[in-house]
mmCIF file of all heavy atoms in Angstrom:
data_model
loop_
_atom_site.group_PDB
_atom_site.id
_atom_site.type_symbol
_atom_site.label_atom_id
_atom_site.label_comp_id
_atom_site.label_asym_id
_atom_site.label_seq_id
_atom_site.Cartn_x
_atom_site.Cartn_y
_atom_site.Cartn_z
ATOM 1 N N THR A 43 -18.269 -7.448 -0.166
ATOM 2 C CA THR A 43 -16.805 -7.334 -0.214
ATOM 3 C C THR A 43 -16.251 -7.169 1.202
ATOM 4 O O THR A 43 -15.291 -7.849 1.590
ATOM 5 C CB THR A 43 -16.374 -6.132 -1.082
ATOM 6 O OG1 THR A 43 -16.941 -6.294 -2.376
ATOM 7 C CG2 THR A 43 -14.868 -6.025 -1.183
ATOM 8 N N SER A 141 11.100 -23.883 -13.773
ATOM 9 C CA SER A 141 11.075 -24.007 -15.237
ATOM 10 C C SER A 141 12.462 -23.790 -15.826
ATOM 11 O O SER A 141 12.724 -24.165 -16.963
ATOM 12 C CB SER A 141 10.077 -23.008 -15.838
ATOM 13 O OG SER A 141 10.586 -21.680 -15.702
ATOM 14 N N MET A 164 5.711 -11.781 7.215
ATOM 15 C CA MET A 164 5.717 -12.740 8.329
ATOM 16 C C MET A 164 6.995 -13.576 8.359
ATOM 17 O O MET A 164 7.108 -14.482 9.184
ATOM 18 C CB MET A 164 4.517 -13.696 8.228
ATOM 19 C CG MET A 164 3.173 -13.018 8.120
ATOM 20 S SD MET A 164 2.916 -11.718 9.332
ATOM 21 C CE MET A 164 2.353 -12.647 10.733
ATOM 22 N N ASN A 165 7.914 -13.339 7.457
ATOM 23 C CA ASN A 165 9.104 -14.202 7.329
ATOM 24 C C ASN A 165 8.689 -15.681 7.315
ATOM 25 O O ASN A 165 9.179 -16.501 8.102
ATOM 26 C CB ASN A 165 10.117 -13.937 8.449
ATOM 27 C CG ASN A 165 11.438 -14.654 8.186
ATOM 28 O OD1 ASN A 165 11.789 -14.928 7.037
ATOM 29 N ND2 ASN A 165 12.167 -14.975 9.228
ATOM 30 N N ASP A 179 16.041 -15.244 4.076
ATOM 31 C CA ASP A 179 17.320 -15.649 3.478
ATOM 32 C C ASP A 179 17.317 -15.556 1.951
ATOM 33 O O ASP A 179 18.343 -15.805 1.326
ATOM 34 C CB ASP A 179 17.656 -17.085 3.908
ATOM 35 C CG ASP A 179 17.753 -17.186 5.414
ATOM 36 O OD1 ASP A 179 18.490 -16.377 6.007
ATOM 37 O OD2 ASP A 179 17.066 -18.040 6.012
ATOM 38 N N LEU A 240 11.641 -40.369 3.596
ATOM 39 C CA LEU A 240 11.609 -41.488 4.541
ATOM 40 C C LEU A 240 10.555 -41.186 5.604
ATOM 41 O O LEU A 240 10.327 -40.010 5.940
ATOM 42 C CB LEU A 240 12.958 -41.643 5.254
ATOM 43 C CG LEU A 240 14.209 -41.821 4.407
ATOM 44 C CD1 LEU A 240 15.459 -41.736 5.293
ATOM 45 C CD2 LEU A 240 14.185 -43.169 3.691
ATOM 46 N N GLU A 302 22.274 -34.301 -5.503
ATOM 47 C CA GLU A 302 22.573 -34.981 -6.772
ATOM 48 C C GLU A 302 22.150 -36.444 -6.661
ATOM 49 O O GLU A 302 22.315 -37.066 -5.604
ATOM 50 C CB GLU A 302 24.066 -34.893 -7.063
ATOM 51 C CG GLU A 302 24.558 -33.491 -7.380
ATOM 52 C CD GLU A 302 23.898 -32.937 -8.640
ATOM 53 O OE1 GLU A 302 23.823 -33.663 -9.648
ATOM 54 O OE2 GLU A 302 23.447 -31.777 -8.594
ATOM 55 N N ASP A 359 3.206 -21.564 17.712
ATOM 56 C CA ASP A 359 4.328 -22.154 16.956
ATOM 57 C C ASP A 359 5.665 -21.794 17.606
ATOM 58 O O ASP A 359 6.489 -21.083 17.068
ATOM 59 C CB ASP A 359 4.266 -21.781 15.473
ATOM 60 C CG ASP A 359 4.796 -20.413 15.168
ATOM 61 O OD1 ASP A 359 4.425 -19.474 15.893
ATOM 62 O OD2 ASP A 359 5.582 -20.263 14.224
#
Side-chain angles (χ1 to χ4, degrees):
T43 303
S141 70
M164 306 312 276
N165 190 26
D179 301 308
L240 304 171
E302 292 298 314
D359 80 314

